[in-house]
Amino acid sequence: EVQLVESGGGLVQPGGSLRLSCAASGFTFSSHWMHWVRQVPGKGLVWVSRINSDGSTTTYPDSVEGRFTISRDNAKNTLHLQMNSLRVDDTAVYFCARGDPLPPSFYFDYWGRGTLVTVSS
Amino acid sequence: SYVLTQPSSVSAAPGQTARIPCGGNYIGTNSVHWYQQKPGQAPLLVVYDDSDRPSGIPERFSGSNSGNTATLTITRVEAGDEADYYCQVWDRSSDQYVFGTGTKVTVL
């Protein structure tokens, strides 16, 4: 059974940093591109980053480019999201999602339950 | 950037059909994927590549895509289908992933 379990969320002040993690199990982690998607409570889904299967290529939307860094440890089946220079509008539930098998992954076939990040003074 | 537009809400009586449109410029040239999200839960993929269903998704869920509109159709609607539904595409011109605005399906 595919499982994705996020951790690391919490309360942080504006300008601060936070590192999210996603523990993957039930599939060959190193074969899949992986993503982070966020959702402001009560609002829609927004994609925030992608990493290829070996970790050599990452992609971001303009809204987080230069502030967020996605990375992975295939030996530990773990995905990370380092978030720096956090802003109030980064407050959201952050989901880890597995990309479909075909690069560059066109959709998200499994999702974690999410971890809440609150940016507030 | 590419924009996908959905109605904020759709309703249907039990046993009837719910249709959820997703509008986008020439969306018919993209592959469209659909997610169901119930309160407090993670999104669940219900249709991928316009009309394919993942294992375990009932045949009541189907999709179509042509021109400027993709549609998720739920036949024989059940109370358990109440949820938010999102369409999604990969925009190849920008290499970005775009979600629709989301539609809340209410079972009357």
Side-chain angles (χ1 to χ4, degrees):
Chain A
E1 178 193 6
V2 173
Q3 287 199 328
L4 299 168
V5 180
E6 301 92 340
S7 61
L11 176 63
V12 61
Q13 292 189 337
S17 298
L18 210 57
R19 189 189 195 211
L20 306 183
S21 297
C22 171
S25 60
F27 66 101
T28 304
F29 180 70
S30 60
S31 295
H32 285 263
W33 295 40
M34 296 294 294
H35 304 259
W36 288 96
V37 177
R38 69 185 181 185
Q39 184 176 39
V40 174
K43 301 298 184 182
L45 300 167
V46 177
W47 170 77
V48 293
S49 60
R50 180 189 72 193
I51 189 167
N52 70 342
S53 55
D54 67 7
S56 61
T57 303
T58 58
T59 309
Y60 308 90
D62 289 345
S63 58
V64 306
E65 178 83 60
R67 299 188 301 122
F68 288 12
T69 302
I70 187 173
S71 62
R72 64 191 298 160
D73 184 339
N74 284 345
K76 296 182 178 179
N77 292 344
T78 304
L79 179 72
H80 300 288
L81 184 68
Q82 177 67 42
M83 303 185 294
N84 298 331
S85 302
L86 282 162
R87 309 187 299 222
V88 172
D89 62 359
D90 292 318
T91 295
V93 175
Y94 285 73
F95 296 100
C96 164
R98 190 181 86 166
D100 72 279
L102 294 178
S105 76
F106 299 96
Y107 57 89
F108 316 102
D109 59 3
Y110 287 93
W111 299 63
R113 297 181 65 90
T115 186
L116 176 63
V117 172
T118 303
V119 184
S120 174
S121 55
Chain B
S1 61
Y2 196 69
V3 175
L4 297 176
T5 302
Q6 299 179 236
S8 58
S9 63
V10 164
S11 61
Q16 299 303 303
T17 298
R19 293 182 178 85
I20 307 166
C22 173
N25 199 31
Y26 297 105
I27 195 173
T29 62
N30 287 288
S31 291
V32 179
H33 321 290
W34 291 90
Y35 304 88
Q36 175 194 72
Q37 186 180 31
K38 296 180 179 180
Q41 296 187 18
L44 172 71
L45 180 70
V46 293
V47 166
Y48 66 97
D49 290 347
D50 295 339
S51 58
D52 291 334
R53 279 184 313 277
S55 174
I57 300 301
E59 292 183 3
R60 302 184 299 103
F61 289 84
S62 63
S64 63
N65 184 19
S66 179
N68 292 316
T69 305
T71 302
L72 176 69
T73 300
I74 311 172
T75 57
R76 302 184 301 282
V77 165
E78 303 174 355
D81 298 331
E82 273 207 347
D84 294 325
Y85 291 84
Y86 295 90
C87 56
Q88 175 256 314
V89 302
W90 173 64
D91 179 20
R92 65 177 65 87
S93 65
S94 63
D95 192 18
Q96 306 272 293
Y97 299 82
V98 180
F99 288 94
T101 49
T103 298
K104 180 176 182 59
V105 170
T106 300
V107 180
L108 301 171

mmCIF file with all atom_site columns, all heavy atoms in Angstrom, chain A residues 33-51:
data_model
loop_
_atom_site.group_PDB
_atom_site.id
_atom_site.type_symbol
_atom_site.label_atom_id
_atom_site.label_alt_id
_atom_site.label_comp_id
_atom_site.label_asym_id
_atom_site.label_entity_id
_atom_site.label_seq_id
_atom_site.pdbx_PDB_ins_code
_atom_site.Cartn_x
_atom_site.Cartn_y
_atom_site.Cartn_z
_atom_site.occupancy
_atom_site.B_iso_or_equiv
_atom_site.pdbx_formal_charge
_atom_site.auth_seq_id
_atom_site.auth_comp_id
_atom_site.auth_asym_id
_atom_site.auth_atom_id
_atom_site.pdbx_PDB_model_num
ATOM 1   N N   . TRP A 1 33 ? 8.887   10.770 -9.850  1.00 0.00 ? 33 TRP A N   1
ATOM 2   C CA  . TRP A 1 33 ? 8.996   12.195 -9.589  1.00 0.00 ? 33 TRP A CA  1
ATOM 3   C C   . TRP A 1 33 ? 8.028   12.511 -8.447  1.00 0.00 ? 33 TRP A C   1
ATOM 4   O O   . TRP A 1 33 ? 6.970   11.910 -8.327  1.00 0.00 ? 33 TRP A O   1
ATOM 5   C CB  . TRP A 1 33 ? 8.624   12.987 -10.836 1.00 0.00 ? 33 TRP A CB  1
ATOM 6   C CG  . TRP A 1 33 ? 9.558   12.782 -11.988 1.00 0.00 ? 33 TRP A CG  1
ATOM 7   C CD1 . TRP A 1 33 ? 10.135  11.607 -12.396 1.00 0.00 ? 33 TRP A CD1 1
ATOM 8   C CD2 . TRP A 1 33 ? 10.005  13.775 -12.916 1.00 0.00 ? 33 TRP A CD2 1
ATOM 9   N NE1 . TRP A 1 33 ? 10.909  11.810 -13.503 1.00 0.00 ? 33 TRP A NE1 1
ATOM 10  C CE2 . TRP A 1 33 ? 10.860  13.143 -13.856 1.00 0.00 ? 33 TRP A CE2 1
ATOM 11  C CE3 . TRP A 1 33 ? 9.771   15.143 -13.059 1.00 0.00 ? 33 TRP A CE3 1
ATOM 12  C CZ2 . TRP A 1 33 ? 11.472  13.831 -14.894 1.00 0.00 ? 33 TRP A CZ2 1
ATOM 13  C CZ3 . TRP A 1 33 ? 10.381  15.825 -14.095 1.00 0.00 ? 33 TRP A CZ3 1
ATOM 14  C CH2 . TRP A 1 33 ? 11.221  15.176 -15.004 1.00 0.00 ? 33 TRP A CH2 1
ATOM 15  N N   . MET A 1 34 ? 8.366   13.502 -7.644  1.00 0.00 ? 34 MET A N   1
ATOM 16  C CA  . MET A 1 34 ? 7.558   13.836 -6.473  1.00 0.00 ? 34 MET A CA  1
ATOM 17  C C   . MET A 1 34 ? 7.248   15.331 -6.443  1.00 0.00 ? 34 MET A C   1
ATOM 18  O O   . MET A 1 34 ? 7.979   16.142 -7.026  1.00 0.00 ? 34 MET A O   1
ATOM 19  C CB  . MET A 1 34 ? 8.282   13.435 -5.185  1.00 0.00 ? 34 MET A CB  1
ATOM 20  C CG  . MET A 1 34 ? 8.526   11.932 -5.023  1.00 0.00 ? 34 MET A CG  1
ATOM 21  S SD  . MET A 1 34 ? 7.024   10.970 -4.843  1.00 0.00 ? 34 MET A SD  1
ATOM 22  C CE  . MET A 1 34 ? 6.397   11.569 -3.263  1.00 0.00 ? 34 MET A CE  1
ATOM 23  N N   . HIS A 1 35 ? 6.181   15.675 -5.725  1.00 0.00 ? 35 HIS A N   1
ATOM 24  C CA  . HIS A 1 35 ? 5.693   17.054 -5.722  1.00 0.00 ? 35 HIS A CA  1
ATOM 25  C C   . HIS A 1 35 ? 5.265   17.487 -4.318  1.00 0.00 ? 35 HIS A C   1
ATOM 26  O O   . HIS A 1 35 ? 4.950   16.658 -3.471  1.00 0.00 ? 35 HIS A O   1
ATOM 27  C CB  . HIS A 1 35 ? 4.461   17.187 -6.622  1.00 0.00 ? 35 HIS A CB  1
ATOM 28  C CG  . HIS A 1 35 ? 4.669   16.747 -8.031  1.00 0.00 ? 35 HIS A CG  1
ATOM 29  N ND1 . HIS A 1 35 ? 4.880   17.640 -9.059  1.00 0.00 ? 35 HIS A ND1 1
ATOM 30  C CD2 . HIS A 1 35 ? 4.685   15.514 -8.590  1.00 0.00 ? 35 HIS A CD2 1
ATOM 31  C CE1 . HIS A 1 35 ? 5.015   16.981 -10.189 1.00 0.00 ? 35 HIS A CE1 1
ATOM 32  N NE2 . HIS A 1 35 ? 4.911   15.695 -9.933  1.00 0.00 ? 35 HIS A NE2 1
ATOM 33  N N   . TRP A 1 36 ? 5.210   18.795 -4.151  1.00 0.00 ? 36 TRP A N   1
ATOM 34  C CA  . TRP A 1 36 ? 4.511   19.413 -3.021  1.00 0.00 ? 36 TRP A CA  1
ATOM 35  C C   . TRP A 1 36 ? 3.385   20.279 -3.592  1.00 0.00 ? 36 TRP A C   1
ATOM 36  O O   . TRP A 1 36 ? 3.587   21.007 -4.565  1.00 0.00 ? 36 TRP A O   1
ATOM 37  C CB  . TRP A 1 36 ? 5.444   20.267 -2.179  1.00 0.00 ? 36 TRP A CB  1
ATOM 38  C CG  . TRP A 1 36 ? 6.429   19.480 -1.366  1.00 0.00 ? 36 TRP A CG  1
ATOM 39  C CD1 . TRP A 1 36 ? 7.725   19.188 -1.697  1.00 0.00 ? 36 TRP A CD1 1
ATOM 40  C CD2 . TRP A 1 36 ? 6.206   18.877 -0.077  1.00 0.00 ? 36 TRP A CD2 1
ATOM 41  N NE1 . TRP A 1 36 ? 8.310   18.445 -0.699  1.00 0.00 ? 36 TRP A NE1 1
ATOM 42  C CE2 . TRP A 1 36 ? 7.411   18.251 0.310   1.00 0.00 ? 36 TRP A CE2 1
ATOM 43  C CE3 . TRP A 1 36 ? 5.121   18.828 0.803   1.00 0.00 ? 36 TRP A CE3 1
ATOM 44  C CZ2 . TRP A 1 36 ? 7.555   17.568 1.522   1.00 0.00 ? 36 TRP A CZ2 1
ATOM 45  C CZ3 . TRP A 1 36 ? 5.264   18.156 2.002   1.00 0.00 ? 36 TRP A CZ3 1
ATOM 46  C CH2 . TRP A 1 36 ? 6.466   17.525 2.348   1.00 0.00 ? 36 TRP A CH2 1
ATOM 47  N N   . VAL A 1 37 ? 2.226   20.172 -2.962  1.00 0.00 ? 37 VAL A N   1
ATOM 48  C CA  . VAL A 1 37 ? 1.048   20.962 -3.330  1.00 0.00 ? 37 VAL A CA  1
ATOM 49  C C   . VAL A 1 37 ? 0.507   21.566 -2.041  1.00 0.00 ? 37 VAL A C   1
ATOM 50  O O   . VAL A 1 37 ? 0.491   20.894 -1.007  1.00 0.00 ? 37 VAL A O   1
ATOM 51  C CB  . VAL A 1 37 ? -0.028  20.082 -4.002  1.00 0.00 ? 37 VAL A CB  1
ATOM 52  C CG1 . VAL A 1 37 ? -1.280  20.896 -4.309  1.00 0.00 ? 37 VAL A CG1 1
ATOM 53  C CG2 . VAL A 1 37 ? 0.516   19.433 -5.273  1.00 0.00 ? 37 VAL A CG2 1
ATOM 54  N N   . ARG A 1 38 ? 0.055   22.818 -2.083  1.00 0.00 ? 38 ARG A N   1
ATOM 55  C CA  . ARG A 1 38 ? -0.460  23.418 -0.872  1.00 0.00 ? 38 ARG A CA  1
ATOM 56  C C   . ARG A 1 38 ? -1.895  23.878 -1.044  1.00 0.00 ? 38 ARG A C   1
ATOM 57  O O   . ARG A 1 38 ? -2.391  24.057 -2.167  1.00 0.00 ? 38 ARG A O   1
ATOM 58  C CB  . ARG A 1 38 ? 0.419   24.580 -0.413  1.00 0.00 ? 38 ARG A CB  1
ATOM 59  C CG  . ARG A 1 38 ? 0.390   25.816 -1.290  1.00 0.00 ? 38 ARG A CG  1
ATOM 60  C CD  . ARG A 1 38 ? 1.399   26.837 -0.765  1.00 0.00 ? 38 ARG A CD  1
ATOM 61  N NE  . ARG A 1 38 ? 1.410   28.065 -1.553  1.00 0.00 ? 38 ARG A NE  1
ATOM 62  C CZ  . ARG A 1 38 ? 2.267   29.072 -1.353  1.00 0.00 ? 38 ARG A CZ  1
ATOM 63  N NH1 . ARG A 1 38 ? 3.181   28.999 -0.398  1.00 0.00 ? 38 ARG A NH1 1
ATOM 64  N NH2 . ARG A 1 38 ? 2.211   30.140 -2.122  1.00 0.00 ? 38 ARG A NH2 1
ATOM 65  N N   . GLN A 1 39 ? -2.552  24.089 0.091   1.00 0.00 ? 39 GLN A N   1
ATOM 66  C CA  . GLN A 1 39 ? -3.953  24.505 0.086   1.00 0.00 ? 39 GLN A CA  1
ATOM 67  C C   . GLN A 1 39 ? -4.228  25.383 1.294   1.00 0.00 ? 39 GLN A C   1
ATOM 68  O O   . GLN A 1 39 ? -4.139  24.907 2.437   1.00 0.00 ? 39 GLN A O   1
ATOM 69  C CB  . GLN A 1 39 ? -4.863  23.279 0.102   1.00 0.00 ? 39 GLN A CB  1
ATOM 70  C CG  . GLN A 1 39 ? -6.343  23.588 0.006   1.00 0.00 ? 39 GLN A CG  1
ATOM 71  C CD  . GLN A 1 39 ? -7.178  22.320 -0.082  1.00 0.00 ? 39 GLN A CD  1
ATOM 72  O OE1 . GLN A 1 39 ? -6.893  21.318 0.572   1.00 0.00 ? 39 GLN A OE1 1
ATOM 73  N NE2 . GLN A 1 39 ? -8.216  22.353 -0.897  1.00 0.00 ? 39 GLN A NE2 1
ATOM 74  N N   . VAL A 1 40 ? -4.554  26.624 1.032   1.00 0.00 ? 40 VAL A N   1
ATOM 75  C CA  . VAL A 1 40 ? -5.019  27.493 2.101   1.00 0.00 ? 40 VAL A CA  1
ATOM 76  C C   . VAL A 1 40 ? -6.343  26.938 2.594   1.00 0.00 ? 40 VAL A C   1
ATOM 77  O O   . VAL A 1 40 ? -7.202  26.580 1.764   1.00 0.00 ? 40 VAL A O   1
ATOM 78  C CB  . VAL A 1 40 ? -5.182  28.937 1.598   1.00 0.00 ? 40 VAL A CB  1
ATOM 79  C CG1 . VAL A 1 40 ? -5.800  29.807 2.672   1.00 0.00 ? 40 VAL A CG1 1
ATOM 80  C CG2 . VAL A 1 40 ? -3.852  29.500 1.122   1.00 0.00 ? 40 VAL A CG2 1
ATOM 81  N N   . PRO A 1 41 ? -6.543  26.800 3.903   1.00 0.00 ? 41 PRO A N   1
ATOM 82  C CA  . PRO A 1 41 ? -7.804  26.247 4.400   1.00 0.00 ? 41 PRO A CA  1
ATOM 83  C C   . PRO A 1 41 ? -9.013  26.924 3.784   1.00 0.00 ? 41 PRO A C   1
ATOM 84  O O   . PRO A 1 41 ? -9.118  28.157 3.785   1.00 0.00 ? 41 PRO A O   1
ATOM 85  C CB  . PRO A 1 41 ? -7.712  26.487 5.905   1.00 0.00 ? 41 PRO A CB  1
ATOM 86  C CG  . PRO A 1 41 ? -6.251  26.421 6.195   1.00 0.00 ? 41 PRO A CG  1
ATOM 87  C CD  . PRO A 1 41 ? -5.597  27.060 5.003   1.00 0.00 ? 41 PRO A CD  1
ATOM 88  N N   . GLY A 1 42 ? -9.904  26.114 3.206   1.00 0.00 ? 42 GLY A N   1
ATOM 89  C CA  . GLY A 1 42 ? -11.100 26.650 2.582   1.00 0.00 ? 42 GLY A CA  1
ATOM 90  C C   . GLY A 1 42 ? -10.907 27.114 1.148   1.00 0.00 ? 42 GLY A C   1
ATOM 91  O O   . GLY A 1 42 ? -11.877 27.558 0.511   1.00 0.00 ? 42 GLY A O   1
ATOM 92  N N   . LYS A 1 43 ? -9.676  27.003 0.641   1.00 0.00 ? 43 LYS A N   1
ATOM 93  C CA  . LYS A 1 43 ? -9.384  27.458 -0.720  1.00 0.00 ? 43 LYS A CA  1
ATOM 94  C C   . LYS A 1 43 ? -8.944  26.294 -1.601  1.00 0.00 ? 43 LYS A C   1
ATOM 95  O O   . LYS A 1 43 ? -9.017  25.137 -1.208  1.00 0.00 ? 43 LYS A O   1
ATOM 96  C CB  . LYS A 1 43 ? -8.303  28.538 -0.675  1.00 0.00 ? 43 LYS A CB  1
ATOM 97  C CG  . LYS A 1 43 ? -8.679  29.759 0.162   1.00 0.00 ? 43 LYS A CG  1
ATOM 98  C CD  . LYS A 1 43 ? -9.892  30.489 -0.385  1.00 0.00 ? 43 LYS A CD  1
ATOM 99  C CE  . LYS A 1 43 ? -10.199 31.748 0.398   1.00 0.00 ? 43 LYS A CE  1
ATOM 100 N NZ  . LYS A 1 43 ? -11.412 32.447 -0.109  1.00 0.00 ? 43 LYS A NZ  1
ATOM 101 N N   . GLY A 1 44 ? -8.453  26.611 -2.798  1.00 0.00 ? 44 GLY A N   1
ATOM 102 C CA  . GLY A 1 44 ? -8.112  25.583 -3.766  1.00 0.00 ? 44 GLY A CA  1
ATOM 103 C C   . GLY A 1 44 ? -6.688  25.058 -3.647  1.00 0.00 ? 44 GLY A C   1
ATOM 104 O O   . GLY A 1 44 ? -5.910  25.477 -2.791  1.00 0.00 ? 44 GLY A O   1
ATOM 105 N N   . LEU A 1 45 ? -6.373  24.120 -4.538  1.00 0.00 ? 45 LEU A N   1
ATOM 106 C CA  . LEU A 1 45 ? -5.064  23.471 -4.559  1.00 0.00 ? 45 LEU A CA  1
ATOM 107 C C   . LEU A 1 45 ? -4.091  24.271 -5.422  1.00 0.00 ? 45 LEU A C   1
ATOM 108 O O   . LEU A 1 45 ? -4.467  24.763 -6.491  1.00 0.00 ? 45 LEU A O   1
ATOM 109 C CB  . LEU A 1 45 ? -5.198  22.060 -5.118  1.00 0.00 ? 45 LEU A CB  1
ATOM 110 C CG  . LEU A 1 45 ? -6.116  21.117 -4.334  1.00 0.00 ? 45 LEU A CG  1
ATOM 111 C CD1 . LEU A 1 45 ? -6.426  19.871 -5.157  1.00 0.00 ? 45 LEU A CD1 1
ATOM 112 C CD2 . LEU A 1 45 ? -5.481  20.732 -3.013  1.00 0.00 ? 45 LEU A CD2 1
ATOM 113 N N   . VAL A 1 46 ? -2.852  24.364 -4.953  1.00 0.00 ? 46 VAL A N   1
ATOM 114 C CA  . VAL A 1 46 ? -1.812  25.090 -5.692  1.00 0.00 ? 46 VAL A CA  1
ATOM 115 C C   . VAL A 1 46 ? -0.525  24.263 -5.666  1.00 0.00 ? 46 VAL A C   1
ATOM 116 O O   . VAL A 1 46 ? -0.025  23.913 -4.592  1.00 0.00 ? 46 VAL A O   1
ATOM 117 C CB  . VAL A 1 46 ? -1.549  26.477 -5.071  1.00 0.00 ? 46 VAL A CB  1
ATOM 118 C CG1 . VAL A 1 46 ? -0.411  27.185 -5.818  1.00 0.00 ? 46 VAL A CG1 1
ATOM 119 C CG2 . VAL A 1 46 ? -2.800  27.337 -5.089  1.00 0.00 ? 46 VAL A CG2 1
ATOM 120 N N   . TRP A 1 47 ? 0.004   23.973 -6.839  1.00 0.00 ? 47 TRP A N   1
ATOM 121 C CA  . TRP A 1 47 ? 1.262   23.234 -6.943  1.00 0.00 ? 47 TRP A CA  1
ATOM 122 C C   . TRP A 1 47 ? 2.427   24.135 -6.552  1.00 0.00 ? 47 TRP A C   1
ATOM 123 O O   . TRP A 1 47 ? 2.472   25.306 -6.967  1.00 0.00 ? 47 TRP A O   1
ATOM 124 C CB  . TRP A 1 47 ? 1.417   22.733 -8.375  1.00 0.00 ? 47 TRP A CB  1
ATOM 125 C CG  . TRP A 1 47 ? 2.748   22.173 -8.692  1.00 0.00 ? 47 TRP A CG  1
ATOM 126 C CD1 . TRP A 1 47 ? 3.242   20.953 -8.338  1.00 0.00 ? 47 TRP A CD1 1
ATOM 127 C CD2 . TRP A 1 47 ? 3.794   22.819 -9.430  1.00 0.00 ? 47 TRP A CD2 1
ATOM 128 N NE1 . TRP A 1 47 ? 4.527   20.796 -8.814  1.00 0.00 ? 47 TRP A NE1 1
ATOM 129 C CE2 . TRP A 1 47 ? 4.893   21.922 -9.483  1.00 0.00 ? 47 TRP A CE2 1
ATOM 130 C CE3 . TRP A 1 47 ? 3.914   24.056 -10.047 1.00 0.00 ? 47 TRP A CE3 1
ATOM 131 C CZ2 . TRP A 1 47 ? 6.080   22.235 -10.130 1.00 0.00 ? 47 TRP A CZ2 1
ATOM 132 C CZ3 . TRP A 1 47 ? 5.095   24.374 -10.699 1.00 0.00 ? 47 TRP A CZ3 1
ATOM 133 C CH2 . TRP A 1 47 ? 6.165   23.467 -10.733 1.00 0.00 ? 47 TRP A CH2 1
ATOM 134 N N   . VAL A 1 48 ? 3.399   23.593 -5.772  1.00 0.00 ? 48 VAL A N   1
ATOM 135 C CA  . VAL A 1 48 ? 4.511   24.445 -5.323  1.00 0.00 ? 48 VAL A CA  1
ATOM 136 C C   . VAL A 1 48 ? 5.899   23.916 -5.655  1.00 0.00 ? 48 VAL A C   1
ATOM 137 O O   . VAL A 1 48 ? 6.880   24.665 -5.527  1.00 0.00 ? 48 VAL A O   1
ATOM 138 C CB  . VAL A 1 48 ? 4.450   24.752 -3.805  1.00 0.00 ? 48 VAL A CB  1
ATOM 139 C CG1 . VAL A 1 48 ? 3.267   25.622 -3.481  1.00 0.00 ? 48 VAL A CG1 1
ATOM 140 C CG2 . VAL A 1 48 ? 4.461   23.509 -2.964  1.00 0.00 ? 48 VAL A CG2 1
ATOM 141 N N   . SER A 1 49 ? 6.035   22.652 -6.039  1.00 0.00 ? 49 SER A N   1
ATOM 142 C CA  . SER A 1 49 ? 7.371   22.210 -6.435  1.00 0.00 ? 49 SER A CA  1
ATOM 143 C C   . SER A 1 49 ? 7.337   20.788 -6.989  1.00 0.00 ? 49 SER A C   1
ATOM 144 O O   . SER A 1 49 ? 6.417   20.016 -6.685  1.00 0.00 ? 49 SER A O   1
ATOM 145 C CB  . SER A 1 49 ? 8.357   22.284 -5.267  1.00 0.00 ? 49 SER A CB  1
ATOM 146 O OG  . SER A 1 49 ? 7.933   21.457 -4.211  1.00 0.00 ? 49 SER A OG  1
ATOM 147 N N   . ARG A 1 50 ? 8.370   20.465 -7.755  1.00 0.00 ? 50 ARG A N   1
ATOM 148 C CA  . ARG A 1 50 ? 8.525   19.144 -8.352  1.00 0.00 ? 50 ARG A CA  1
ATOM 149 C C   . ARG A 1 50 ? 10.010  18.777 -8.350  1.00 0.00 ? 50 ARG A C   1
ATOM 150 O O   . ARG A 1 50 ? 10.860  19.653 -8.557  1.00 0.00 ? 50 ARG A O   1
ATOM 151 C CB  . ARG A 1 50 ? 8.013   19.139 -9.788  1.00 0.00 ? 50 ARG A CB  1
ATOM 152 C CG  . ARG A 1 50 ? 8.130   17.790 -10.514 1.00 0.00 ? 50 ARG A CG  1
ATOM 153 C CD  . ARG A 1 50 ? 7.796   17.951 -11.994 1.00 0.00 ? 50 ARG A CD  1
ATOM 154 N NE  . ARG A 1 50 ? 8.852   18.659 -12.710 1.00 0.00 ? 50 ARG A NE  1
ATOM 155 C CZ  . ARG A 1 50 ? 8.715   19.145 -13.950 1.00 0.00 ? 50 ARG A CZ  1
ATOM 156 N NH1 . ARG A 1 50 ? 7.569   19.000 -14.588 1.00 0.00 ? 50 ARG A NH1 1
ATOM 157 N NH2 . ARG A 1 50 ? 9.718   19.763 -14.533 1.00 0.00 ? 50 ARG A NH2 1
ATOM 158 N N   . ILE A 1 51 ? 10.287  17.506 -8.158  1.00 0.00 ? 51 ILE A N   1
ATOM 159 C CA  . ILE A 1 51 ? 11.655  17.007 -8.228  1.00 0.00 ? 51 ILE A CA  1
ATOM 160 C C   . ILE A 1 51 ? 11.655  15.726 -9.027  1.00 0.00 ? 51 ILE A C   1
ATOM 161 O O   . ILE A 1 51 ? 10.732  14.893 -8.900  1.00 0.00 ? 51 ILE A O   1
ATOM 162 C CB  . ILE A 1 51 ? 12.264  16.810 -6.816  1.00 0.00 ? 51 ILE A CB  1
ATOM 163 C CG1 . ILE A 1 51 ? 13.751  16.495 -6.906  1.00 0.00 ? 51 ILE A CG1 1
ATOM 164 C CG2 . ILE A 1 51 ? 11.510  15.728 -6.030  1.00 0.00 ? 51 ILE A CG2 1
ATOM 165 C CD1 . ILE A 1 51 ? 14.481  16.600 -5.561  1.00 0.00 ? 51 ILE A CD1 1
#
